[in-house]
Amino acid sequence: MLATWANSRDEWVRYIVRTVLSTGRPLTLDNAEHAYQLFRQEKLVDERELQVEPPLEIEASSDTAERPLAIVRISDVTGVNALAPLGR
């Protein structure tokens, strides 16, 4: 879902999403600087020197498809957000 969203955005956004998804970590300062330079070049503020950031490849299968979230049971809840215990 995130890759689909990123593919409809600017190159610098795709770069950030690709970096975070591939590393599983927050951007480093170098990553952020690269994204900023890509932004400036994409918007024609600076001369284009960086390669075009391609769309993210989306691999989806029925095994990894997201299922809708459904709460099927809540039990043993006390003192959370003023929820009354069950049975009252």
Side-chain angles (χ1 to χ4, degrees):
M1 209 158 99
L2 182 58
T4 302
W5 173 82
N7 282 338
S8 67
R9 302 296 185 258
D10 290 341
E11 292 178 71
W12 64 274
V13 175
R14 289 194 305 269
Y15 170 78
I16 290 171
V17 171
R18 175 178 281 113
T19 302
V20 170
L21 289 178
S22 66
T23 64
R25 296 177 179 225
L27 290 182
T28 65
L29 189 55
D30 287 340
N31 296 141
E33 178 64 28
H34 183 86
Y36 180 62
Q37 292 303 317
L38 188 57
F39 165 79
R40 290 182 57 90
Q41 292 177 24
E42 182 179 12
K43 301 303 179 184
L44 305 176
V45 174
D46 297 334
E47 185 177 328
R48 187 66 187 232
E49 296 176 357
L50 297 173
Q51 293 182 357
V52 172
E53 188 68 29
L56 282 79
E57 294 182 18
I58 303 169
E59 298 177 19
S61 69
S62 59
D63 294 340
T64 60
E66 293 181 27
R67 294 188 205 162
L69 176 64
I71 298 175
V72 294
R73 179 179 19 189
I74 298 178
S75 62
D76 301 322
V77 177
T78 58
V80 177
N81 296 330
L83 292 176
L86 293 175
R88 281 191 171 178

